[in-house]
Amino acid sequence: MASLHDETRSVDGEARAINRRELLQGIAAVGLLVGIPLPAAAQAQQRVRSVQSFQLGIWLHIGADDRATVLLCQSEMGQGVHTILPTLVAEELEMPLERIDVRAAPVDAIYRNTYLVKAMLAGGSPEKLSPTADWLLERMGRLAGQQITGGSSSVRWLFQPLRRAGATARMQLVQAAANAWGVGVQECRAEAGRVLHAASGRGLGYGELAEAAALLPPPADVVLKEPEQWTLLGKPQQRLDTAAKIDGSARFGIDVREPGQLFAVVRFAPQFGARLKKLDGSKAMALPGVKAVVALENGFAVVADSTWRAMSARDTVAAEWGPGAQDLLDTATHWRMYEQSFISAKPDKAVSHGDADKALSNAAAVLDAEYRLPLLAHAALEPMNATVRLGRDGFVDVWAPTQGQDLARKAAADGTGIDADKVRVHTTFLGGGFGRRAEGDFVAVAAQVAKAVPGLPVQVLWPREEDMRNDFYRPASLHKLRVGLDAQGAITAWKQTIACPSIMRRVFPPSRFLGPDETAFEGAHEAAYAIPDLRLDWLPVETPVPVGFWRSVGHSHTAFVKETMIDQAALQAGVDPLAYRMKLLANAPRHQAVLELVAAKAGWSAPLLPGQGRGLALHTSFGAIVAEVVELELDKGQPRLSRITVAADIGRVLNPNIAEAQFSGAVVFALAAALHGEVTLKNGGVVEENFDSYQMPRMADTPPIAVHFIDSSAAPGGAGEPGVPPLAPALANAIQRAGGPRLTRLPILTQMA
């Protein structure tokens, strides 16, 4: 079973993290570093002559036990990267997948997600960069990027590097076998973890060849298999983490148990911006098992010998809070900040081609609309938590379900005052991420608490209420549109202004992030739609509510506006929404193919009874083209969904089972937001505290979901996020076609109450 921890076991059995320097030193003692871009690698190659294993660069290790270990810098949060990414290696290595182990990579700049950095800096399309710009951003990414999992980038980034690692190892192993037998390398082949010589019938396992292969120089030209030669990729493969998640051996952050471990729970100020003024923990300290009451800048934590005792003692602590920045902030005043931006804020021109104002003045008809999309919480199943130990050796160990290892290390360093080079991050499984665990705040809090009990690991848990009230929320957004139509109902002009806070300006200081923030308006302009005159403006909104990356980010709100407005234009023109979109996509055959597939699978043209409706939406994000059809009926004015059909072109589908699961999960995630999702404000803080008020879809709310993929030869696209954006507009369009209201605000059930 794949291991997910970057740790080794010492002779006395104590778990100890390995950093990159120790990793390289350890390998140099038993193997050879091939392909690592460090002078030390070449030096080690000259020193080591007796080896028992084979280390290929930063990704792959082959041991004498005929097993391979893949080092992965991408966090596993249910999206399946700890199966798909090793499959890339196994395919080229000619190694059975069940003989691949997975180990979380240590924190190091070499693992920084340069693809994601380039995507952010290049408007979401790194593949369109010029060679010079690509070279520059690659180096900028190494300096300013992060070791992070997000943006549906894992497979898109590592599709080539991991395949090359597997192919390089295979070629060296085959060469080692040919040398041992004194035959030509062309007479040998790799198969199922062995190298075979057909003429003589001889064979050697990879473990037997590892020592010799480690001493060979890497091949000058690495030959990758063609897709038609694949035996693993493109076919359903069982997840490597399934068994551990069934038998309970999989370790999530909340499962961490280390020798001498203590437990803590937090309570934060009830208002944004409020600070702790006074703290009295004397009653808590008198209770059994309580070890410490720790003051934080905006809250406190109680440390005890069990989570239950810490939580019980927390309720006895007397805390006095200073005033928040917005004591009277509520939902109504929050929206007024957005409205005010249309009066006082200077817009950033995000996208513009043609002359939208002139085209609107000449339009035969103009559609005006205003949309309001609410704040949303992440509400991951596993509450925020991290375990930190300030070791007596001067090192800090962090066990965390994190999407951002660099951020976790920095947060622990800042929280403890210890240099980041002495922080070791152990990445566990994540019980949901959705962008929330790309933040470092929960690690910083755990590090501050751990200072109160030096030498002992302490697991700091945010109870659900603290998790919900102290999120980095999906920004609310206010959209105002004017869409011009000609006499035949075709769109001639599109003018849209979006008021929305900037996520990137919160995450990065101005010196590192300049210009418009694409996360505020990405997806608002669908380049495939043939709209001759378009203008998109963004109004940055200053709000005390902390905002962050939420699954599919800006696409989560812009798709709703765009795709419901397209339906309105089709209705105005008296044209079927499918046919209307097909005409707009006359020059986009991939998009048309996706629409044709979803229409066929959903039975788009089948007759409907009164009160029934089908709604359609199409959206492109994260390298994937996705269309969804929702079918429902209105029962006493409320939608009752009967089925959801998804069609997607995500390029080559590397594991159909995982891809289908990701899209099904994205639909349910989006359904929760569309039907129920809304964070409201009162007295300067968040009202919703748990799943009784921030509801999730029940099984009765969730109809059958059918997912279909285009047989595409394009490069792999994303799968974790692209299924989210089309759901809400498809659902709203279905409600209108069933005779319900036109929805320009979410959540749907609140608007239809």
Side-chain angles (χ1 to χ4, degrees):
M1 180 54 222
S3 168
L4 295 175
H5 307 289
D6 57 333
E7 62 188 32
T8 57
R9 293 281 168 180
S10 62
V11 292
D12 60 2
E14 182 182 356
R16 188 176 66 82
I18 54 174
N19 60 29
R20 182 149 180 256
R21 177 175 296 176
E22 293 172 315
L23 174 69
L24 301 186
Q25 290 172 342
I27 291 167
V30 296
L32 181 64
L33 305 177
V34 181
I36 281 189
L38 292 176
Q43 296 168 7
Q45 183 173 351
Q46 297 300 318
R47 291 197 306 267
V48 179
R49 288 293 178 265
S50 177
V51 294
Q52 299 174 340
S53 60
F54 177 21
Q55 177 77 20
L56 183 69
I58 59 173
W59 305 113
L60 176 63
H61 172 265
I62 298 172
D65 58 355
D66 273 338
R67 297 191 67 83
T69 299
V70 177
L71 288 168
L72 290 182
C73 52
Q74 299 302 95
S75 302
E76 177 59 76
M77 48 190 162
Q79 81 279 39
V81 292
H82 278 236
T83 297
I84 292 179
L85 297 181
T87 305
L88 297 174
V89 176
E91 181 67 73
E92 296 291 346
L93 183 58
E94 295 288 0
M95 170 78 86
L97 193 57
E98 59 269 19
R99 281 162 55 188
I100 300 281
D101 296 317
V102 179
R103 186 179 294 275
V107 184
D108 193 272
I110 198 69
Y111 291 113
R112 286 178 177 169
N113 191 338
T114 56
Y115 185 99
L116 186 57
V117 171
K118 290 188 285 185
M120 289 190 296
L121 295 176
S125 302
E127 65 278 356
K128 297 180 181 179
L129 290 172
S130 69
T132 301
D134 183 72
W135 179 90
L136 177 63
L137 292 176
E138 176 75 15
R139 277 136 191 86
M140 287 176 63
R142 287 286 164 82
L143 294 173
Q146 297 288 336
Q147 187 170 328
I148 197 167
T149 305
S152 292
S153 63
S154 297
V155 172
R156 291 187 288 161
W157 169 33
L158 296 173
F159 180 64
Q160 292 287 32
L162 289 180
R163 290 170 65 214
R164 288 182 63 85
T168 300
R170 165 175 46 83
M171 294 174 71
Q172 289 182 244
L173 290 161
V174 170
Q175 183 67 64
N179 293 348
W181 294 325
V183 301
V185 69
Q186 69 278 3
E187 300 177 42
C188 306
R189 74 178 192 276
E191 181 180 309
R194 295 177 61 79
V195 179
L196 306 176
H197 183 239
S200 65
R202 288 177 291 185
L204 288 171
Y206 285 175
E208 299 173 277
L209 294 166
E211 179 178 346
L215 296 173
L216 295 174
D221 297 313
V222 179
V223 180
L224 300 180
K225 295 165 70 173
E226 295 296 328
E228 54 267 22
Q229 298 173 301
W230 289 349
T231 59
L232 298 174
L233 293 173
K235 300 171 177 60
Q237 305 294 335
Q238 182 175 333
R239 288 182 60 132
L240 295 180
D241 54 8
T242 297
K245 289 178 177 177
I246 290 174
D247 66 23
S249 61
R251 188 160 78 154
F252 293 82
I254 206 168
D255 296 324
V256 169
R257 297 293 183 271
E258 292 295 316
Q261 182 169 315
L262 297 174
F263 303 85
V265 295
V266 294
R267 174 161 289 161
F268 296 113
Q271 297 174 326
F272 296 123
R275 294 292 180 261
L276 183 67
K277 284 182 62 178
K278 188 181 297 185
L279 184 69
D280 182 357
S282 57
K283 291 182 179 179
M285 289 300 296
L287 295 174
V290 176
K291 307 298 182 181
V293 177
V294 184
L296 305 169
E297 183 180 15
N298 65 330
F300 65 88
V302 177
V303 184
D305 57 9
S306 75
T307 299
W308 176 250
R309 282 181 165 175
M311 191 173 293
S312 300
R314 185 191 60 164
D315 294 334
T316 70
V317 175
E320 183 179 335
W321 312 101
Q326 293 285 340
D327 295 348
L328 302 179
L329 178 69
D330 60 17
T331 298
T333 57
H334 187 240
W335 279 120
R336 283 198 286 274
M337 296 176 187
Y338 288 72
E339 294 161 359
Q340 181 63 32
S341 68
F342 279 87
I343 300 172
S344 60
K346 181 180 179 181
D348 276 317
K349 186 181 293 185
V351 178
S352 181
H353 59 255
D355 190 334
D357 289 319
K358 182 177 179 180
L360 283 167
S361 67
N362 295 326
V366 175
L367 303 177
D368 290 287
E370 179 180 298
Y371 287 81
R372 296 188 181 213
L373 290 305
L375 293 164
L376 293 173
H378 293 83
L381 182 61
E382 180 186 15
M384 305 308 292
N385 71 90
T387 302
V388 176
R389 177 179 62 202
L390 275 69
R392 304 195 184 282
D393 57 358
F395 283 82
V396 176
D397 285 290
V398 178
W399 294 265
T402 178
Q403 291 177 245
Q405 287 77 10
D406 269 315
L407 289 168
R409 182 171 67 172
K410 183 180 185 305
D414 292 345
T416 59
I418 294 176
D419 190 85
D421 288 342
K422 294 187 175 182
V423 176
R424 302 178 290 214
V425 177
H426 313 254
T427 305
T428 67
F429 281 119
L430 285 62
F434 316 127
R436 177 63 180 94
R437 287 188 159 93
E439 307 287 349
D441 59 325
F442 62 101
V443 175
V445 168
Q448 293 171 51
V449 174
K451 289 172 66 177
V453 286
L456 296 175
V458 56
Q459 182 179 95
V460 181
L461 174 71
W462 298 29
R464 179 64 61 188
E465 292 76 11
E466 302 302 326
D467 190 342
M468 291 289 295
R469 291 194 302 243
N470 296 277
D471 203 345
F472 289 93
Y473 304 92
R474 196 285 301 267
S477 60
L478 174 60
H479 304 243
K480 293 187 179 183
L481 286 84
R482 303 202 78 206
V483 177
L485 309 178
D486 65 16
Q488 289 72 45
I491 297 176
T492 59
W494 186 290
K495 185 176 181 180
Q496 180 175 358
T497 304
I498 303 173
C500 182
S502 172
I503 298 171
M504 299 300 289
R505 291 179 184 179
R506 177 190 68 80
V507 174
F508 297 105
S511 61
R512 288 178 58 187
F513 189 85
L514 304 173
D517 181 355
E518 182 148 339
T519 67
F521 55 82
E522 59 186 350
H525 59 289
E526 174 53 79
Y529 284 142
I531 299 174
D533 295 279
L534 179 145
R535 176 165 176 166
L536 175 64
D537 290 330
W538 168 54
L539 295 171
V541 179
E542 297 296 331
T543 169
V545 180
V547 296
F549 302 102
W550 188 89
R551 191 174 185 176
S552 78
V553 202
H555 296 280
S556 67
H557 59 89
T558 60
F560 180 79
V561 175
K562 172 176 63 68
E563 288 299 302
T564 55
M565 202 65 191
I566 291 288
D567 252 44
Q568 280 306 111
L571 181 65
Q572 177 79 11
V575 178
D576 176 84
L578 173 63
Y580 195 84
R581 286 176 172 83
M582 291 293 284
K583 188 173 181 179
L584 281 171
L585 297 166
N587 297 318
R590 286 184 70 183
H591 293 71
Q592 286 186 326
V594 172
L595 279 178
E596 289 169 349
L597 179 60
V598 79
K601 296 298 183 181
W604 178 259
S605 59
L608 293 166
L609 297 174
Q612 294 180 333
R614 291 191 193 96
L616 170 67
L618 172 77
H619 194 73
T620 303
S621 62
F622 306 99
I625 306 165
V626 185
E628 295 178 8
V629 171
V630 173
E631 186 171 322
L632 55 77
E633 65 177 328
L634 294 181
D635 182 7
K636 298 179 181 179
Q638 295 296 301
R640 187 170 66 188
L641 281 64
S642 54
R643 64 171 172 162
I644 298 172
T645 307
V646 181
D649 183 345
I650 62 170
R652 293 196 181 276
V653 181
L654 302 181
N655 187 319
N657 286 354
I658 290 178
E660 180 180 356
Q662 279 300 284
F663 274 89
S664 297
V667 165
V668 176
F669 185 90
L671 188 62
L675 290 176
H676 308 284
E678 181 179 22
V679 168
T680 60
L681 308 172
K682 186 178 181 181
N683 297 329
V686 169
V687 173
E688 290 73 22
E689 294 186 336
N690 214 315
F691 293 127
D692 58 340
S693 53
Y694 196 82
Q695 297 183 44
M696 297 291 112
R698 274 59 170 178
M699 292 185 69
D701 301 322
T702 309
I705 301 168
V707 181
H708 307 275
F709 296 105
I710 292 284
D711 184 13
S712 176
S713 60
E721 295 174 274
V724 172
L727 187 280
L731 177 54
N733 290 337
I735 289 171
Q736 184 173 16
R737 285 172 61 84
R742 181 192 178 198
L743 294 165
T744 58
R745 299 188 181 191
L746 294 176
I748 286 171
L749 294 185
T750 299
Q751 300 304 314
M752 296 184 67

